[in-house]
Amino acid sequence: MNDSTDIRFLLAIRDSGSLVAAARKLGLSPSAVTQRLQQIEKKLDTRLVDRTARGLRFTEEGTLLCRRGAELVQQFDMLFEEVQARRSGLVGTLSIAAPLGFGRRYVAPVVADFQQDNPGVDIVLTLSDQPLTEAADRYDIVVHIGELPASNLVGYAIAPNSRFVCAAPSLLKRFPNPQSPDDLAKLPCIVLRENNEDVSLWQFRKGRAARSVRVPSKLICNDGEVIRRWACEGRGVILRSEWDVADDIAKGNLVRLLPAWKTSDADVIALTHHRVSLPARTKQFMRYLQDRFKPKPPWRT
């Protein structure tokens, strides 16, 4: 193993989870992948992967080789990217994960524009309702909204974002406008299930006063676009990010409730790995993303 190709091959197997999936990723036949793995193990005189009926399990030596090898491959790639960037601009592949709704509306346009401005960069954008729980370590950048759970990732501020309690005017004709958070327990509510949070417990504060309300949730969904539409149809009260409901509030489709009571902010942040030196494409995209939300994010213009 005197170059990076064998390490890249092992990393492809690790990331794919099976020899068959790795074969598809590498454009090889399963038998060719098996043979090459055997050749690497023979060369090192060490078993790297245990193959069982339940799948693959890397041995201690295989795990060490992947972990240390991934660092070496990254350094190797960064060196050549830096040389190439001196002549022809940014190069390489950038993988980004973002929440479904926010990703569609705000991240996707930034990604497309950045790629157009930097044709040497290939970008893979993955949208998910739980971007932090789906192998976040495999992405260069993870866009996250709200409080950051314990993580070894490094956060960069992108844009401020509050959360509002809203309902359609048609619902407020059938139910009284709540005067305190406790009144929400008497109203039909819609909740968004995401990030394994306790989604039906809504928390408020006004000055030194604090309230926690367990709302009755007759409708639950993991897609913010769906619950926003339900709310606009008068089906219930929602607690939703400012970026998602600001337009509907401005148009009168939704009415903000309890404006004197503040809920926890859900600022937009971008997360990267804690590395001494990030690739130039990652750092440049981070700046590009931040600049698109300055001096104020579009939901506050």
Side-chain angles (χ1 to χ4, degrees), residues 60-229:
E60 184 176 345
E61 291 78 13
T63 300
L64 173 64
L65 191 57
C66 285
R67 185 177 69 250
R68 296 289 300 277
E71 298 173 359
L72 295 173
V73 167
Q74 182 192 34
Q75 294 176 8
F76 183 86
D77 289 344
M78 286 176 60
L79 173 61
F80 277 84
E81 287 168 10
E82 182 178 347
V83 173
Q84 289 179 293
R86 289 172 180 263
R87 293 190 55 191
S88 57
L90 300 178
V91 295
T93 299
L94 184 63
S95 58
I96 303 168
L100 284 170
F102 189 83
R104 280 193 298 262
R105 190 182 304 184
Y106 292 111
V107 179
V110 178
V111 165
D113 290 344
F114 182 82
Q115 199 287 320
Q116 186 175 36
D117 292 343
N118 300 276
V121 178
D122 298 329
I123 304 181
V124 179
L125 174 63
T126 301
L127 302 183
S128 166
D129 61 338
Q130 294 185 338
L132 269 184
T133 62
E134 298 187 354
D137 59 329
R138 297 182 184 177
Y139 298 104
D140 299 304
I141 295 176
V142 177
V143 178
H144 178 71
I145 298 176
E147 184 178 353
L148 179 64
S151 171
N152 59 355
L153 300 175
V154 180
Y156 298 84
I158 301 299
N161 175 57
S162 299
R163 295 198 298 173
F164 299 153
V165 178
C166 306
S170 60
L171 183 136
L172 298 177
K173 292 179 180 179
R174 308 194 314 269
F175 297 91
N177 197 321
Q179 300 303 306
S180 77
D182 295 333
D183 293 337
L184 293 173
K186 307 170 187 175
L187 301 178
C189 295
I190 305 169
V191 299
L192 174 67
R193 187 175 299 283
E194 61 180 353
N195 296 328
N196 297 319
E197 298 174 353
D198 189 353
V199 293
S200 65
L201 185 64
W202 294 1
Q203 300 181 2
F204 300 84
R205 67 179 185 276
K206 182 172 68 172
R208 295 184 178 181
R211 293 286 189 278
S212 295
V213 182
R214 178 72 66 181
V215 299
S217 50
K218 297 296 185 180
L219 289 170
I220 302 172
C221 185
N222 69 332
D223 189 329
E225 175 67 14
V226 170
I227 74 162
R228 185 187 62 78
R229 289 182 182 177

Side-chain angles (χ1 to χ4, degrees), residues 32-45:
V33 170
T34 300
Q35 290 175 5
R36 184 170 178 187
L37 176 58
Q38 291 172 343
Q39 290 172 356
I40 295 174
E41 291 178 326
K42 183 177 180 181
K43 190 186 325 184
L44 294 175
D45 193 22

